[in-house]
Amino acid sequence: MKVDLIKFALSMMQTMLVCLLSSLRKALSLFFSFSFLSSLSFSWFREPVKNGVQDKASIELVLLSCLLVLAPHAMHFPLWISLLCSLLLLWRAWITVRGKRLPSRWILVPMLMLSMMALYGTYQTFSNREASVAVLAILLAFKLIEMQTRFDLFVVIYSSFFLMLANFLYSQTVVVVLMMLLAIILLFTVQLSLQYSGAMAALRRRFYLSALMALLAMPLAGMLFLFFPRIQENSFWNSLEDAHAAQAGLPTSMAPGTISNLALSDDVAFRVKFFDSVPSANNLYWRGVVLGNYDGRTWTQIQNPNTQQSVSLTTRGMPIRHQITLEANRRNLLLALETPKIAPEVNGHAAKIMPDRQIVLSVPIDQRVRYEAVSYLDYSLQANASPSDMQDWLAIPPGLNPRTLQLAEKLRQQLRSSNRANKVHNVNNEELILLNAVIHFFHQNKFRYTLEPPLLGENAVDDFLFSTRSGFCEHYAGAFVILMRALHVPARVVTGYQGGELNPVDGYLTVRQSNAHAWAEIWVEKRGWMRVDPVVVIAPERIETDLKMRGLHSVLQAIYDMTEHGWLAKVRMQIHMYRDTAVNAWNQWLLNVKSVSGWEEEWGNIFNPLNTFNTFSTFNKFTTFNALDKAEFNWRKPMMWIAILLIVLPIILIGLRLRKKTDSIDVLYVSLCQRMALRGYPREINEGPQAYASRLSKILPAENPKNIKKKAAVVDFLRIYEAMKYGSHLNNNNNNDNNDNNNDTSTRTLKYLLSQC
């Protein structure tokens, strides 16, 4: 019965928490959008005050801290938002340095409204994460322009903390952490400046105190980082993700421009550590999504392919064992070197290798994960399948690309004519002969590889093969597959990544989004699926390297090109490698901490609304004592409790000891002062015990023996308290035992005198 009551109570607590978080979901987003609007309206429509922010150094510190907070967001904002915030910061800095008047609210209000309209035109909403953060950044920048009171300064400081937190939704690298730490110290410094009502301490002193506060908070922050549950799956924080925002990582469909957009990104997709030798660059194909449906514009996955669930895979040679650290991409797809043979396990979740060799995880990847994979470079996949099993990989959208179909028929007629001329009746590996014919067609017509191909019409494959002949890897792979299918050769598109950058400092291979690639596979009878990369077989020397970057990026690219050769290029490369090594080491350390703690899964299950009525069983599984019943003792959780005790227990003991020595007599002194205040004789703020005793001895009445006794008790109490607080324990440092005994005796005396007052 007791267990059922506990289970019911925990379930009710969890249900209330889930309901509370669900109700706060939109409230938090609306708070981001309207908190500044309310503060702006409050400050614009109230009477101006005289006691505004006069400390120029504080304003400069606020501007610097806001710059540190907003700088990482510039990597995610559209260019116009970054420029707008920069111009507003520069405007306020110019006003502060030159001592100019703040602009009129009739200028700022139209500017703000136009900015909000432009932001809505960019995001088409205000309620998702990206738009909410952008609104908060713009409002912060406008608030800096009209900041003139202490209230305005507080609004800027606390809103900067919100934007600082939002930075970690995008990136948690060492550079971002250091920037946010410096911003925290600067904001603390400004907060300290606001607390001074008289003479203000020197800036160096305020900065030192702020840094000391941040340093003292680090042990507690470290303990929370190690032991506080980091809820990931189906959590409140992940619910703030924008479902309509551009997804990071490899898409699950492919259309013209899909892969080329990724190629412009330098973000890390994943890192690889090989346990054996690193394969050559032309073998670094990282298998991702396999696409088979084509509607004339977009390639998508086949939902229920007509293939047997257990396909044959014959491997040859030595396995390639490697460890992959995959960045969060909100998909349930794992990447591995082609082709994987063993499904990995990620954070206790088993993955499954599909018949087309995709590795699918049961949950989306909402955090950085690490897993090991085993792959083979030499293999035969579905070599024993029959042509009837490959009908799904022969589908062509009807009524489209007639010139491609005519080219396929022409190539088949040429093959038949050649066979008749050579009197060949039984053609072996006809698919390979047709493959060579298609490759010859690409070679003969001088195709061009570019990131900015011309637009294609309704018959996209026809336009690409016969008109533009310019495109990125998705154009070549898609057109190649359609042409091979028109030749009655089963074919499909595979998207993933190709290549990578090996860092000699730590030995990790870094694969970035710019390595995103698409290639093709064809099925040959008795040989199985074969990889064919049209980009490699066409003309790799004609690949255009100019990305034609615009705006601010073009300036950065020009500076980069100036340092392309010579010693400066070597220095830049060394800095890049060591920076990448430091970031990777930090990420690997975080993953090690998570794997050792092992708290996330248990706490995630507790707060999972789907497990509302299984809370007690999850809690029982989480407890350390339940591990005693298992054959293998879980040592991790006891070690965590021991670490907590080692951190918390000394703090508690020191606090109790200090309170025993000092706080007890202070409590008695405060009680006496309160008692005398009730009698009409309060202590002045600037009065010490001696001065207070001298004044009370003069003004306390002494008409009867009872009053004389109370007056003497008050004076004796203050005299003994002053001696204990400021005298005796400072003059007798050589006899600690006697001092402790005297203090105990004096404390008892004070309690007695207090009872007589």
Side-chain angles (χ1 to χ4, degrees), residues 668-684 692-693 695-697 699-701 707 710-715 717-718 753-754 756-757:
L668 296 175
Y669 177 65
V670 171
S671 299
L672 174 72
C673 294
Q674 292 175 349
R675 186 170 299 184
M676 299 308 299
L678 292 175
R679 293 172 59 181
Y681 308 105
R683 182 179 67 87
E684 301 294 337
Y692 192 27
R695 184 166 66 89
L696 289 177
S697 64
I699 63 176
L700 284 177
N707 289 342
K710 289 184 177 181
K711 179 177 180 179
V714 170
V715 174
F717 180 98
L718 292 173
L753 292 174
L754 182 63
Q756 301 300 315
C757 295

Side-chain angles (χ1 to χ4, degrees), residues 19-198:
C19 294
L20 178 63
L21 293 180
S22 300
S23 63
L24 289 178
R25 175 181 176 180
K26 290 187 177 180
L28 183 61
S29 178
L30 292 175
F31 173 78
F32 281 165
S33 302
F34 296 110
S35 61
F36 264 107
L37 288 176
S38 61
S39 64
L40 282 172
S41 61
F42 181 79
S43 60
W44 283 345
F45 297 102
R46 67 175 184 267
E47 292 296 326
V49 294
K50 296 181 180 180
N51 57 339
V53 181
Q54 302 294 335
D55 185 15
K56 183 183 294 186
S58 297
I59 299 179
E60 293 172 351
L61 288 177
V62 170
L63 293 176
L64 180 58
S65 60
C66 290
L67 178 62
L68 292 173
V69 170
L70 291 171
H73 286 293
M75 303 296 295
H76 312 285
F77 288 157
L79 183 60
W80 73 268
I81 296 181
S82 301
L83 291 177
L84 175 63
C85 295
S86 301
L87 291 175
L88 292 174
L89 283 173
L90 289 174
W91 191 3
R92 178 64 204 217
W94 179 77
I95 291 174
T96 303
V97 173
R98 300 298 298 270
K100 300 293 183 179
R101 296 185 60 182
L102 296 176
S104 170
R105 65 192 64 171
W106 302 111
I107 298 176
L108 295 179
V109 170
M111 290 178 59
L112 178 60
M113 294 299 103
L114 290 175
S115 301
M116 293 296 105
M117 293 171 60
L119 188 141
Y120 185 82
T122 301
Y123 291 101
Q124 298 299 315
T125 183
F126 285 118
S127 61
N128 62 41
R129 185 187 70 182
E130 284 75 13
S132 300
V133 174
V135 168
L136 187 61
I138 292 176
L139 292 176
L140 173 62
F142 273 99
K143 189 65 180 177
L144 289 171
I145 292 295
E146 63 100 34
M147 178 181 64
Q148 56 181 340
T149 66
R150 290 166 59 91
F151 172 80
D152 297 331
L153 197 55
F154 275 117
V155 171
V156 169
I157 290 173
Y158 290 115
S159 301
S160 298
F161 283 126
F162 273 103
L163 269 175
M164 189 183 305
L165 177 65
N167 271 319
F168 294 104
L169 298 176
Y170 298 100
S171 175
Q172 300 178 17
T173 61
V174 180
V175 176
V176 173
V177 172
L178 293 178
M179 291 178 64
M180 295 306 102
L181 180 60
L182 180 57
I184 288 174
I185 295 175
L186 293 178
L187 291 173
F188 281 177
T189 304
V190 178
Q191 284 186 295
L192 279 177
S193 303
L194 296 177
Q195 308 307 316
Y196 289 93
S197 58

Side-chain angles (χ1 to χ4, degrees), residues 6 10 602-603 606 614-624 626:
I6 296 175
L10 291 174
E602 290 83 355
W603 281 96
I606 290 176
N614 295 326
T615 303
F616 181 74
S617 61
T618 305
F619 181 80
N620 185 40
K621 174 185 174 183
F622 172 74
T623 56
T624 303
N626 190 48

Side-chain angles (χ1 to χ4, degrees), residues 267-549:
D267 294 338
V268 175
F270 56 94
R271 288 183 171 90
V272 187
K273 180 180 181 181
F274 289 95
F275 296 109
D276 303 308
S277 60
V278 181
S280 58
N282 58 350
N283 286 320
L284 294 176
Y285 281 84
W286 307 95
R287 193 178 188 86
V289 185
V290 178
L291 308 173
N293 282 333
Y294 182 63
D295 61 1
R297 192 70 181 173
T298 304
W299 286 90
T300 57
Q301 298 180 13
I302 296 179
Q303 298 300 324
N304 297 305
N306 184 24
T307 57
Q308 51 189 351
Q309 292 300 315
S310 180
V311 300
S312 61
L313 175 64
T314 304
T315 58
R316 295 175 289 271
M318 297 297 296
I320 306 297
R321 300 180 302 115
H322 51 291
Q323 183 188 78
I324 296 178
T325 304
L326 182 64
E327 299 294 321
N329 53 27
R330 308 182 211 172
R331 313 214 182 280
N332 60 347
L333 181 73
L334 298 180
L335 293 151
L337 193 65
E338 198 176 51
T339 183
K341 188 172 184 179
I342 302 175
E345 182 175 321
V346 180
N347 294 341
H349 300 284
K352 181 181 180 181
I353 298 182
M354 307 303 291
D356 53 14
R357 310 315 291 173
Q358 295 184 90
I359 308 178
V360 179
L361 195 63
S362 58
V363 294
I365 303 172
D366 293 326
Q367 59 176 321
R368 185 182 296 110
V369 296
R370 185 173 58 196
Y371 57 93
E372 294 184 3
V374 178
S375 301
Y376 287 85
L377 301 179
D378 190 4
Y379 60 92
S380 296
L381 178 62
Q382 287 186 275
N384 59 350
S386 63
S388 60
D389 295 330
M390 299 295 152
Q391 295 302 312
D392 288 324
W393 310 109
L394 290 171
I396 297 177
L400 297 177
N401 305 306
R403 298 184 66 183
T404 302
L405 300 180
Q406 293 175 5
L407 174 62
E409 184 61 29
K410 178 181 177 181
L411 293 177
R412 291 187 66 85
Q413 291 293 340
Q414 290 177 355
L415 176 62
R416 294 192 187 99
S417 300
S418 176
N419 292 338
R420 284 195 298 268
N422 297 324
K423 298 181 180 181
V424 177
H425 301 287
N426 296 322
V427 181
N428 294 323
N429 293 333
E430 182 179 332
E431 298 89 349
L432 297 180
I433 299 176
L434 294 174
L435 172 62
N436 291 329
V438 172
I439 292 175
H440 179 72
F441 169 80
F442 279 108
H443 273 297
Q444 194 177 26
N445 289 280
K446 296 181 180 179
F447 282 80
R448 192 166 59 97
Y449 191 73
T450 176
L451 281 171
E452 295 185 348
L455 295 177
L456 303 176
E458 182 181 1
N459 297 309
V461 178
D462 279 358
D463 291 345
F464 171 70
L465 291 178
F466 302 101
S467 298
T468 65
R469 289 175 178 169
S470 299
F472 201 57
C473 59
E474 63 261 33
H475 298 81
Y476 287 95
F480 177 84
V481 169
I482 291 298
L483 185 54
M484 294 304 296
R485 289 186 177 185
L487 291 168
H488 304 293
V489 177
R492 59 193 183 189
V493 175
V494 182
T495 60
Y497 297 87
Q498 201 283 322
E501 177 187 4
L502 183 63
N503 190 337
V505 179
D506 58 3
Y508 277 83
L509 183 81
T510 302
V511 181
R512 304 183 183 275
Q513 299 295 349
S514 55
N515 294 111
H517 193 52
W519 60 93
E521 285 185 335
I522 65 170
W523 183 81
V524 179
E525 191 173 359
K526 297 182 181 180
R527 295 189 59 174
W529 289 99
M530 296 175 50
R531 180 178 68 235
V532 181
D533 192 346
V535 174
V536 175
V537 300
I538 293 168
E541 67 276 5
R542 286 197 287 267
I543 293 178
E544 295 183 0
T545 57
D546 183 15
L547 301 184
K548 300 180 181 178
M549 304 175 77

Side-chain angles (χ1 to χ4, degrees), residues 592-621:
N592 291 335
V593 170
K594 291 180 180 180
S595 63
V596 169
S597 64
W599 285 47
E600 295 174 68
E601 181 180 359
E602 290 83 355
W603 281 96
N605 290 332
I606 290 176
F607 290 100
N608 187 349
L610 298 178
N611 294 337
T612 301
F613 298 102
N614 295 326
T615 303
F616 181 74
S617 61
T618 305
F619 181 80
N620 185 40
K621 174 185 174 183

